[in-house]
């Protein structure tokens, strides 16, 4: 297999799927399911194009067959089916590998874009219009972040949809921030009502009592933090991820404050500054090492 040929085919495929996704979203009749599905495919193909530009072996499935390794290693002549029978890495693992070898961090919504594609493909589950816009914006943002490594410009990739893509990202970002800010205001109002006419000692006692336990969550790992709404002690829940050299990383998934009732998920956590971080002490952390995130 020729490295440049495979990279080129994947880039062209990603561009075709992305343009079809935007046609389905911007043109009449609107088809949001097609738009989300096709954008997720475009993201996967462009991530694989980046991997192929580094080394074809990075496209190998997690558990590759001998035939897969022969094809990716340039010995397609040794395999009866040739590249037709090649199994490559899935979209989630492709993004994870690329995050490690190129240090490209995906947008918080990218996992939801992939999940939405799977839901549409297997169960026909669609998305509301506002969520569809956010998911497409995540795909556009991620694709734009990969293009420099492929020596391509966004204006070339998106062609007639270039300006529309910029507007899509700006609108989705502003809507997300507006919703986040509205949540914070409601939480602050709730806290003000709760503590109205309380003395400082009474307020401290109420906060200590309510913040002693976390809000229920499906995630069983809790890390202390401060509520961005009422500034009370609180807990963010999530999952852990094994890193290299015995490191453990915390990946936040849900925040809930029992004092002001604020809850945050997904990209709202990033806006609140609740990001993935190592659970090691500062003395143990290797500053030159990057985590191998699992974006599933």
């Amino acid at each position: 297999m020729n490295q440049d040929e495979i990279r080129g085919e994947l880039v062209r495929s990603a561009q075709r799927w992305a343009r079809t996704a935007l046609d389905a979203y911007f043109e009449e009749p609107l088809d949001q399911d097609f738009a989300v599905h096709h954008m997720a495919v475009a993201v996967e193909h462009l991530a694989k194009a980046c991997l192929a530009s580094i080394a074809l072996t990075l496209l190998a499935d997690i558990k590759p067959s001998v035939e897969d390794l022969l094809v990716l290693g340039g010995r397609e002549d040794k395999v009866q089916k040739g590249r037709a029978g090649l199994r490559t890495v899935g979209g989630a693992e492709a993004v994870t590998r690329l995050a490690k070898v190129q240090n490209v961090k995906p947008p918080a919504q990218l996992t939801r874009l992939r999940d939405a594609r799977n839901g549409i493909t297997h169960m026909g589950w669609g998305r509301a219009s506002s969520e569809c816009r956010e998911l497409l914006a995540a795909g556009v943002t991620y694709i734009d972040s990969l293009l420099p490594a492929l020596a391509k410009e966004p204006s070339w990739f998106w062609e007639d949809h270039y300006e529309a893509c910029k507007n899509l990202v700006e609108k989705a970002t502003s809507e997300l921030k507006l919703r986040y800010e509205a949540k914070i205001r409601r939480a602050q109002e709730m806290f003000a009502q709760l503590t109205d006419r309380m003395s400082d000692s009474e307020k401290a006692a109420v906060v200590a009592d309510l913040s002693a336990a976390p809000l229920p969550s499906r995630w069983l790992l809790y890390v202390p933090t401060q509520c961005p709404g009422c500034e009370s002690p609180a807990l963010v829940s999530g999952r852990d991820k094994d890193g290299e050299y015995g490191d453990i990383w915390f990946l936040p998934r849900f925040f809930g404050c029992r004092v002001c009732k604020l809850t945050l998920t997904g990209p709202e956590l990033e806006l609140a500054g609740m990001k993935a971080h190592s659970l090691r002490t500062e003395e143990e952390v290797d500053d030159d090492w990057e985590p191998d995130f699992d974006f599933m």
Side-chain angles (χ1 to χ4, degrees), residues 238-251:
R239 55 163 296 187
D240 58 350
K241 167 67 179 177
D242 291 337
E244 297 180 5
Y245 312 117
D247 198 3
I248 304 292
W249 279 73
F250 174 70
L251 309 181

Side-chain angles (χ1 to χ4, degrees), residues 56-254:
L56 289 180
T57 50
L58 288 173
L59 296 176
D61 190 24
I62 295 178
K63 295 182 178 180
S65 65
V66 173
E67 290 78 9
D68 293 337
L69 295 175
L70 283 170
V71 172
L72 292 173
R75 297 309 305 267
E76 189 176 342
D77 58 304
K78 295 291 186 180
V79 180
Q80 184 176 2
K81 292 184 179 180
R83 72 174 64 177
L86 176 65
R87 294 180 305 167
T88 59
V89 64
E93 179 63 21
V95 171
T96 299
R97 291 181 185 180
L98 200 56
K100 184 175 182 179
V101 300
Q102 280 195 350
N103 195 27
V104 178
K105 184 181 179 182
Q109 293 277 51
L110 198 67
T111 298
R112 294 178 61 199
L113 173 64
R114 186 164 50 248
D115 290 343
R117 180 192 71 171
N118 294 339
I120 292 167
T121 301
H122 302 296
M123 296 297 294
W125 290 334
R127 289 295 188 274
S129 58
S130 60
E131 186 176 6
C132 176
R133 180 166 52 248
E134 291 173 4
L135 297 179
L136 292 178
V140 171
T141 300
Y142 184 64
I143 285 174
D144 283 351
S145 72
L146 302 185
L147 292 174
L150 297 165
K152 302 294 184 183
E153 294 291 334
S155 58
W156 171 86
F157 186 88
W158 300 112
E159 296 185 322
D160 294 342
H161 290 309
Y162 176 56
E163 291 298 329
C165 283
K166 291 198 297 183
N167 293 334
L168 180 73
V169 172
E170 290 173 1
K171 190 170 184 178
T173 302
S174 62
E175 286 184 352
L176 176 62
K177 288 181 178 179
L178 286 173
R179 288 200 300 273
Y180 170 77
E181 291 168 358
K183 274 192 167 186
I184 296 298
R185 286 195 300 273
R186 287 195 297 270
Q188 291 171 341
E189 291 169 1
M190 177 71 72
F191 180 72
Q193 293 173 8
L194 174 67
T195 58
D196 186 33
R197 299 182 181 178
M198 286 185 182
S199 66
D200 289 344
S201 59
E202 290 173 331
K203 185 184 300 185
V206 168
V207 169
D209 181 58
L210 290 176
S211 61
L215 282 178
S217 167
R218 60 174 289 204
W219 306 100
L220 301 180
L221 181 61
Y222 292 89
V223 170
T225 188
Q226 184 181 57
C227 176
C230 65
E231 299 183 354
S232 301
L235 296 165
V236 57
S237 60
R239 55 163 296 187
D240 58 350
K241 167 67 179 177
D242 291 337
E244 297 180 5
Y245 312 117
D247 198 3
I248 304 292
W249 279 73
F250 174 70
L251 309 181
R253 292 292 184 264
F254 174 81

